[in-house]
Amino acid sequence: MERDSSPSDQFHRYKNLIQNGDNPDITKERQGASFNLYNMQCFVYENDHKLQRRQEILEFVESHREFDDPVHPHFLNRDEQIDRATRKCLAMVDNLDAIDVTDYFDEAPLYQLLTIGRELHCLSLHYGMFLPTIQVHTEKSLILGPFQMAASKAILGTFAQTELGHGSNLSKLETTATYDATTKEFVIHTPTMSAGKWWPGGLGKSANYAAVMAQLYTSGESKGPHLFMVQLRDNAHAPLPGVTVGDIGPKLGNNANDNGFLIFDHYRIPRRNMFMKYSKVEADGTYIPPPHAKLGFGAMVLVRLLMIRDQTCQLGAAAVIAIRYSAVRHSAVRQGEINEGEGEVQILDYRTQQYRLLPQLARSFPSSQRMRSRNSTSKYVTKQINNNANMELLPELHALSSGLKAVITWEVAQGIEQLRLSCGGHGYSRASAFPDMYAYAVGGCTYEGENIVMLLQVARFLMMIAKEVRSGNPKLAEIAEYIAKPDAVTARISSWKTCSDEDIIHDFEAVTRKLIFATFDRLTTLERTMKKKEAWNACSIDLCKAARMHVKTYLVKNFLARVRTCEDPASRTVMHTLAKLYAFDLISGGGGHFMKGGFLSEKQFNEVQLGIYEMLAAIRPDSVALADSWAISDLELRSVLGRRDGNVYPALLEWAQQSPLNQN
Ligand SMILES: CCCCCCCCCCCCCCCCCCCCCCC/C=C/C(=O)SCCNC(=O)CCNC(=O)[C@H](O)C(C)(C)COP(=O)(O)OP(=O)(O)OC[C@H]1O[C@@H](n2cnc3c(N)ncnc32)[C@H](O)[C@@H]1OP(=O)(O)O
Ligand SMILES: Cc1cc2nc3c(=O)[nH]c(=O)nc-3n(C[C@H](O)[C@H](O)[C@H](O)COP(=O)(O)OP(=O)(O)OC[C@H]3O[C@@H](n4cnc5c(N)ncnc54)[C@H](O)[C@@H]3O)c2cc1C
């Protein structure tokens, strides 16, 4: 798409954000900002081109009537929700020229949010996992056929892995794919009730194909879980003989998506339908193993990376809503007056309110930004793997994607809930958007790897590094280099104004290192009297703590590093305070780890607490502008409370009038 305006036009456009009809409180907040909004938005989105693309995609969606909602989606029943999402989804994919379809980190999710909203839909798994599975797991010479069919919607797919009896533990999946060399087919079968596939999105009604994870048997031997391309429904969309399929019913959220169940009865597929990029079954049944045992799990690694960005944007949007609302809401009771007799104040002026809002806003920035570079890392790793050249980076990428997925989805879900509470009663209404946001985000704590299970994967990686460091011969991945640094006895942290980034990083690294080695020592001690797996289980709470701290240290370092790249001094100053607030809030929350063994003194801990107070006060005048720096349109936000113009109360009344109960 052509760019039609220069950065200065854009600047003009953003300066004109303030309009006559806007709520006066929110206008005053915007006028008082210490930085130029456009410069900050360019920093947040890395360049003005990305910002401009957001605007172009918004204008495209707003100008196409097929994306309109005749009835507000909040007032639909489940059938109607599915119908709406499906119609919108088809309109969305019929207009893919509007976006760069290869941009799964920015343009595709934005387009989806603008057209459908915060709901998974009938094609979520098709685009979110089926297409990536084809891309990651199909042999180069064969990819064009299935990819084109899937990309052109000639086939609609899902990713069918989880079963009634097993989800986290892939190695115990029970669905079988037994190779029959006489017919050159695989027989896909559900041998027990617990082997029935359960959960795959879009399976219940929509998909006619699935990437199915099943235990491969060939020449009488079991070869572990492998992926197969399986047709489920015929041209009339009826289930094929040997396939039983349906919807699993309503869930906490994502109800426009038809998550389904699937049972196979000795269902035959051609040999070529096994995804054979890495491991193969020859026509005579000979098995060729993959160059790395876990390459078959590659699509999940990719989707975990996509989720991190997607989820962080949800937290950003929730912070935008709560901050804007806090600027226009005045406390209505007498004890709401900070200075008695001087009248009500904006709730944003309460320090407790700022403490609810601003750390969450801070939390939404680092991971969203770092995901861009993770995107290039994953592309790099995928390229290395595709060339069969380098598998060394795979454990690092797996540990990083698992750890970020676990920590971020948890923080996002908790953050959204905290922000909802900060909006009082109105936060409980669906008009606020918080209930839908929470229901969407909290699903991410479970799917693509249950969070505790993912943290334990990070812990495996950390324990391996600790062992190597102790043996004096470490081969350290970049994300783990700090684990080999010498121990530090005292913390360096001091007042937020005087302590340097290096001081903060030093303290985080030191505390995490201690935690990792303390856990490692406990594990090795336990292993002297217990079997390895028992010992692991016996200290697994500590293992998770070490893994969480490792990920948080990674996030703090990256946030600070990213702020240093900000070229606009005014934006850099505010972002730097936000990054320090992020770090200080983590120290405050994890005080036990920091104060253990006297590493952080009581005086330093008090400075951290005082620093939080001072930083909240320093950021307070910029909070609405910082929310605006996410550059989220009202259409994307879909919240009555978070409207850009701040005119919340008439909009709430208008929204409520659409309730079917008010129609007669
Ligand atoms: C043409 C295109 C048009 C596009 C236009 C589109 C417009 C539309 C818009 C599209 C927008 C896209 C936006 C994207 C937004 C993203 C949101 C996506 C939403 C998608 C919805 C998601 C739905 C959910 C799906 C699912 O949940 S699928 C099922 C997921 N299941 C799991 O994750 C299971 C978890 N379990 C595991 O992964 C494993 O069992 C385990 C890792 C826990 C354990 O592994 P294993 O069983 O092997 O056991 P071990 O612990 O013994 O491990 C042995 C060693 O192997 C290592 N290991 C394990 N896994 C990996 C790996 N993946 N990579 C590398 N190494 C691995 C272990 O660490 C062990 O190593 P060690 O021995 O050295 O310690
Ligand atoms: C909204 C949604 C969409 C989904 N979409 C799909 C999809 O499209 N395709 C698909 O295949 N699947 C899908 N799933 C399923 C999802 O991937 C699984 O639910 C997930 O992997 C967790 O597996 P589980 O449900 O078996 O949980 P379990 O593994 O049974 O977890 C239950 C508890 O046991 C604990 N636990 C399990 N193993 C261990 C361990 N080794 N050590 C310590 N604790 C452990 C967990 O931490 C958790 O507390 C979806 C799920 C949801 C909620």
Side-chain angles (χ1 to χ4, degrees):
M1 204 179 264
E2 291 289 303
R3 293 174 58 183
D4 61 2
S5 59
S6 66
S8 66
D9 294 335
Q10 286 288 316
F11 178 50
H12 194 62
R13 193 193 320 240
Y14 287 105
K15 268 193 92 174
N16 287 345
L17 258 178
I18 298 167
Q19 287 162 13
N20 285 340
D22 290 1
N23 174 293
D25 282 320
I26 212 158
T27 300
K28 207 168 115 226
E29 295 293 335
R30 291 189 169 120
Q31 284 165 339
S34 72
F35 57 85
N36 175 293
L37 180 60
Y38 176 69
N39 288 344
M40 183 65 100
Q41 288 176 328
C42 287
F43 170 67
V44 169
Y45 285 95
E46 286 191 347
N47 53 51
D48 66 316
H49 175 61
K50 286 226 161 104
L51 200 52
Q52 173 143 352
R53 288 292 299 138
R54 289 180 66 78
Q55 184 64 26
E56 285 168 357
I57 295 168
L58 172 67
E59 283 166 14
F60 178 88
V61 174
E62 282 184 333
S63 64
H64 281 68
R65 295 282 65 87
E66 61 265 45
F67 296 126
D68 287 353
D69 272 311
V71 177
H72 197 293
H74 287 152
F75 301 106
L76 303 177
N77 64 31
R78 181 158 186 239
D79 277 6
E80 291 165 340
Q81 279 175 43
I82 291 183
D83 192 52
R84 166 192 176 268
T86 306
R87 282 170 201 284
K88 290 236 179 176
C89 197
L90 294 181
M92 174 179 85
V93 294
D94 281 346
N95 288 285
L96 283 180
D97 289 355
I99 58 162
D100 169 2
V101 292
T102 63
D103 185 357
Y104 260 44
F105 278 76
D106 287 306
E107 298 205 3
L110 171 67
Y111 182 49
Q112 184 177 250
L113 258 171
L114 289 170
T115 49
I116 303 177
R118 242 165 250 113
E119 268 289 332
L120 293 183
H121 47 77
C122 64
L123 295 187
S124 293
L125 265 287
H126 177 77
Y127 287 115
M129 284 208 80
F130 186 65
L131 264 175
T133 300
I134 293 174
Q135 274 173 303
V136 174
H137 294 288
T138 312
E139 293 148 281
K140 235 183 196 161
S141 59
L142 299 175
I143 195 165
L144 218 55
F147 185 76
Q148 274 178 350
M149 287 209 292
S152 66
K153 310 187 294 298
I155 60 177
L156 298 180
T158 182
F159 187 81
Q161 180 171 286
T162 309
E163 298 174 355
L164 264 172
H166 290 97
S168 299
N169 191 357
L170 288 185
S171 56
K172 292 287 179 226
L173 293 180
E174 295 175 89
T175 303
T176 52
T178 309
Y179 185 60
D180 178 349
T182 53
T183 60
K184 309 211 176 352
E185 289 170 321
F186 288 101
V187 182
I188 312 283
H189 186 57
T190 306
T192 59
M193 164 75 83
S194 56
K197 296 289 175 192
W198 196 271
W199 271 117
L203 173 66
K205 283 280 174 193
S206 317
N208 54 7
Y209 273 76
V212 174
M213 192 68 95
Q215 299 287 354
L216 168 64
Y217 286 86
T218 182
S219 311
E221 283 179 20
S222 163
K223 299 293 176 188
H226 285 72
L227 277 167
F228 300 84
M229 173 80 108
V230 182
Q231 184 174 357
L232 307 174
R233 291 179 162 109
D234 64 16
N235 289 342
H237 212 62
L240 286 159
V243 172
T244 306
V245 62
D247 175 69
I248 63 168
K251 301 138 294 186
L252 188 141
N254 298 326
N255 282 308
N257 189 357
D258 46 319
N259 293 80
F261 64 83
L262 174 62
I263 295 162
F264 293 108
D265 181 7
H266 299 96
Y267 181 74
R268 287 179 170 264
I269 58 167
R271 182 182 70 94
R272 296 300 325 183
N273 279 27
M274 175 174 159
F275 285 95
M276 292 210 218
K277 184 162 173 183
Y278 301 120
S279 38
K280 291 186 177 53
V281 172
E282 307 279 24
D284 65 358
T286 309
Y287 177 70
I288 318 270
H292 184 292
K294 302 300 163 189
L295 278 173
F297 299 171
M300 283 182 282
V301 175
L302 179 65
V303 177
R304 283 173 198 143
L305 288 168
L306 288 174
M307 277 177 69
I308 295 159
R309 166 103 180 109
D310 176 56
Q311 289 258 333
T312 314
C313 291
Q314 302 295 329
L315 184 61
V320 171
I321 296 167
I323 289 173
R324 286 185 181 161
Y325 174 70
S326 299
V328 301
R329 176 76 169 180
H330 293 75
S331 65
V333 288
R334 191 174 152 71
Q335 58 266 40
E337 299 170 24
I338 290 180
N339 295 316
E340 209 169 316
E342 287 185 9
E344 290 185 325
V345 296
Q346 293 160 281
I347 57 173
L348 186 54
D349 281 327
Y350 294 108
R351 204 62 89 227
T352 45
Q353 184 75 358
Q354 293 158 12
Y355 190 46
R356 274 186 149 167
L357 305 177
L358 299 179
Q360 302 305 338
L361 178 72
R363 216 158 258 146
S364 68
F365 283 112
S367 29
S368 99
Q369 290 165 358
R370 288 317 298 173
M371 272 316 95
R372 294 175 206 288
S373 67
R374 282 300 119 205
N375 184 19
S376 43
T377 309
S378 71
K379 278 186 186 153
Y380 169 74
V381 174
T382 312
K383 212 166 149 194
Q384 297 281 315
I385 292 167
N386 284 346
N387 297 336
N388 276 349
N390 189 351
M391 301 292 149
E392 275 177 18
L393 289 167
L394 202 62
E396 182 185 348
L397 187 68
H398 171 55
L400 188 63
S401 56
S402 304
L404 286 170
K405 184 269 181 200
V407 169
I408 287 170
T409 53
W410 169 253
E411 292 202 338
V412 167
Q414 298 307 304
I416 290 171
E417 177 58 1
Q418 189 59 237
L419 292 160
R420 179 188 75 72
L421 290 167
S422 80
C423 294
H426 292 320
Y428 194 71
S429 165
R430 279 190 79 183
S432 68
F434 290 122
D436 291 30
M437 276 180 168
Y438 181 76
Y440 176 81
V442 79
C445 295
T446 304
Y447 62 66
E448 285 308 338
E450 206 285 322
N451 276 356
I452 297 294
V453 175
M454 291 293 97
L455 284 175
L456 290 170
Q457 287 293 308
V458 181
R460 279 180 82 117
F461 175 77
L462 295 177
M463 292 303 104
M464 181 195 74
I465 303 270
K467 191 173 175 188
E468 285 179 6
V469 172
R470 279 283 161 79
S471 72
N473 186 23
K475 243 177 57 194
L476 293 175
E478 197 190 322
I479 53 166
E481 274 167 4
Y482 75 94
I483 300 174
K485 285 186 187 170
D487 275 350
V489 183
T490 49
R492 288 198 202 155
I493 214 133
S494 55
S495 146
W496 71 279
K497 283 194 178 134
T498 50
C499 82
S500 66
D501 291 359
E502 288 67 34
D503 293 335
I504 297 174
I505 293 168
H506 168 272
D507 290 359
F508 267 88
E509 287 187 346
V511 166
T512 311
R513 200 165 42 236
K514 273 189 179 186
L515 209 52
I516 291 170
F517 282 110
T519 311
F520 176 72
D521 290 340
R522 192 155 132 62
L523 179 65
T524 40
T525 309
L526 288 167
E527 279 175 350
R528 281 187 209 126
T529 54
M530 287 178 179
K531 287 184 189 150
K532 273 192 173 242
K533 286 195 174 167
E534 279 170 3
W536 181 263
N537 190 33
C539 64
S540 51
I541 299 171
D542 290 337
L543 287 163
C544 287
K545 284 183 183 161
R548 269 189 213 103
M549 200 65 205
H550 167 73
V551 176
K552 287 175 184 175
T553 297
Y554 172 86
L555 287 167
V556 167
K557 288 199 281 196
N558 280 298
F559 198 175
L560 292 168
R562 167 90 173 111
V563 170
R564 283 197 290 278
T565 67
C566 180
E567 286 169 10
D568 174 47
S571 302
R572 191 171 55 243
T573 302
V574 183
M575 265 296 161
H576 198 193
T577 310
L578 209 57
K580 282 188 168 175
L581 174 65
Y582 175 67
F584 274 47
D585 185 46
L586 287 178
I587 297 174
S588 168
H593 295 315
F594 279 82
M595 294 181 83
K596 211 170 180 180
F599 177 70
L600 188 78
S601 69
E602 196 168 340
K603 181 170 172 288
Q604 285 172 309
F605 191 67
N606 289 341
E607 268 181 309
V608 168
Q609 305 290 19
L610 184 67
I612 291 175
Y613 270 97
E614 290 176 357
M615 284 188 273
L616 293 176
I619 299 167
R620 155 68 186 89
D622 283 321
S623 36
V624 168
L626 276 168
D628 288 347
S629 69
W630 266 99
I632 300 182
S633 63
D634 282 349
L635 181 61
E636 186 183 346
L637 208 52
R638 292 173 190 270
S639 166
V640 176
L641 289 197
R643 317 164 44 101
R644 201 203 54 75
D645 67 10
N647 293 323
V648 171
Y649 301 134
L652 269 173
L653 191 58
E654 194 183 310
W655 176 84
Q657 277 162 352
Q658 296 177 63
S659 166
L661 291 180
N662 294 326
Q663 306 315 314
N664 53 47

